[in-house]
Amino acid sequence: MPSLHKSVTACLLFLTIVLPLPALAQDKAVPASRTEMQLSFAPLVKQTAGAVVNVYAERVVQRTSPFAGDPFFEQFFGQRMPNRSEKQSSLGSGVIVSHNGLVVTNNHVIQGADDIKIALADGREFPCEVLLKDDSVDLAVLKIKAQEDFPVLAIGNSDAVEVGDLVLAIGNPFGVGQTVTSGIVSALARTQVTDGDVGFFIQTDASINPGNSGGALMNMKGELIGINTAIFSRGGGSNGIGFAIPANLVKVFLTAAEEGKKSFERPYVGATFQAVTSDVAEALGLKAARGALVVAVTRGSPADKAGLKPGEVVLAVNAIPVEHPDALSYRLTTVGLGGTAALTVAEGRQERQLELALGAAPETVPRDERLIDGRNPFAGTKVANLSPRIATELHLPSDKTGVVITDVVRGSPAARLGFQPGDIMVAINGAPVPSSKAMEALVADNPGFWRVEIERGGQRIRQFFR
């Protein structure tokens, strides 16, 4: 065995001389001896584990009696079988990122909760309040209600992460207590992992299980590089494919919470993009099928002012390559509102640089939100005039116009018929719907027969109601 170690070391030295490692990897090395292979993560865990907490969320759910409304059972049993309310609990993890008690976790961990508590690694529990949450990025920031100096986990630079880097995942899987698992970064820029808008995840083979959500993915410097969010699993357990939201997005979200923002706004671009396939790359004369192809540009938008044109391909943001449209959205989001992004765009084999100013989506027309009532299929819907701002809030393409449903009252006729927030009203009984005021007038008459056309998810849906 000693001779084997020597031969491996010799080969490594030879490779280092002949093939120098990239600059980013020069301070990294594989174990070269038995002593190095016996190194332990314990000192790093002791230094950082105190900043990872358990998050307990409780919600009160009303359980309706299956016999409610039945005259027979109500006559004989009366109130002996009333509707019941019960508490549902969920368990996740979180990371303390400031000494005054700011905690970052996943939005799905605390979604719909009436009461949220966190438990430290030493067993102490504290109530907390929600400062900011967003389901599209699946992040939430909590504030511990206590005046203490809490341990923190420093936030690192997720752009410095490379495939093959050693990582630790800390959380509370299956509620068994704080657990540390190790692995490597398996891949970067993973897309279509969740139903949200984040299309840029760090993939790791460190074991992540239910209850780990909101916990820390940490590098060997003891820095937070991601918030563990999802797993790929057929049976509910870890299969060695876990995903984490990159720390650079967490930083932007945390800044919005510290500034007192009530919602998390993405930068408005005013352009639509699609992925570059191999056929598109060949047709455009590109060297590789990567980047974000510009499909359309809204007149007067930041993209229009920057000079971006349909048919061009965005290859990089601030010199960082863009693999696909989701990666472009992520890069622009991490630059943040008020910033400027340097875009590298290509038209054929010619490349040029553009400066894109990033701001909030404008409300180009007054939203004029109205609650529809009366005897019609739309009773219980809130509708508003579409603008880039409303479209951004509802996660719709920014170039959509007309009238959109922003909310549906639970239990209303519209809810029972299946109308949803984000549905765009196209026509009612053959008449177009140009504004929320016009829609209110259209439904004021009760024709007894309704022909409705809406757009949902880019598809036209036609329904008939009596």
Side-chain angles (χ1 to χ4, degrees), residues 50-73:
V52 181
V53 301
N54 298 336
V55 179
Y56 299 95
E58 288 188 345
R59 57 185 61 85
V60 177
V61 179
Q62 295 294 330
R63 293 296 186 188
T64 304
S65 169
F67 306 110
D70 188 305
F72 175 82
F73 281 95

Side-chain angles (χ1 to χ4, degrees), residues 193 206-210 212-213 229-233 236-239 241-243:
V193 172
S207 294
I208 296 174
N209 289 289
N212 271 108
S213 291
T229 298
I231 58 174
F232 179 82
S233 175
S238 174
N239 286 342
I241 302 178
F243 302 95

Side-chain angles (χ1 to χ4, degrees), residues 378 381-384 386 390 394 396 401-408 414 417-426 439 452-459 461 463:
F378 314 100
T381 60
K382 286 185 179 179
V383 297
L386 258 173
I390 293 285
L394 295 174
L396 298 171
T401 58
V403 175
V404 66
I405 296 176
T406 60
D407 195 15
V408 180
L417 290 173
F419 288 104
Q420 302 174 9
D423 288 347
I424 300 174
M425 305 306 304
V426 178
M439 178 170 174
V452 178
E453 185 176 351
I454 65 172
E455 182 180 330
R456 178 186 295 171
Q459 295 183 336
I461 300 174
Q463 293 284 346

Side-chain angles (χ1 to χ4, degrees), residues 169-240:
I170 308 180
N172 187 356
F174 300 111
V176 299
Q178 191 177 81
T179 302
V180 182
T181 56
S182 68
I184 64 169
V185 173
S186 309
L188 299 172
R190 287 303 197 208
T191 64
Q192 299 178 351
V193 172
T194 66
D195 293 332
D197 287 352
V198 177
F200 197 96
F201 288 87
I202 298 171
Q203 181 181 320
T204 178
D205 69 345
S207 294
I208 296 174
N209 289 289
N212 271 108
S213 291
L217 187 68
M218 187 175 66
N219 64 14
M220 294 298 100
K221 295 180 181 179
E223 298 172 331
L224 179 72
I225 60 169
I227 294 293
N228 297 323
T229 298
I231 58 174
F232 179 82
S233 175
R234 298 186 185 278
S238 174
N239 286 342

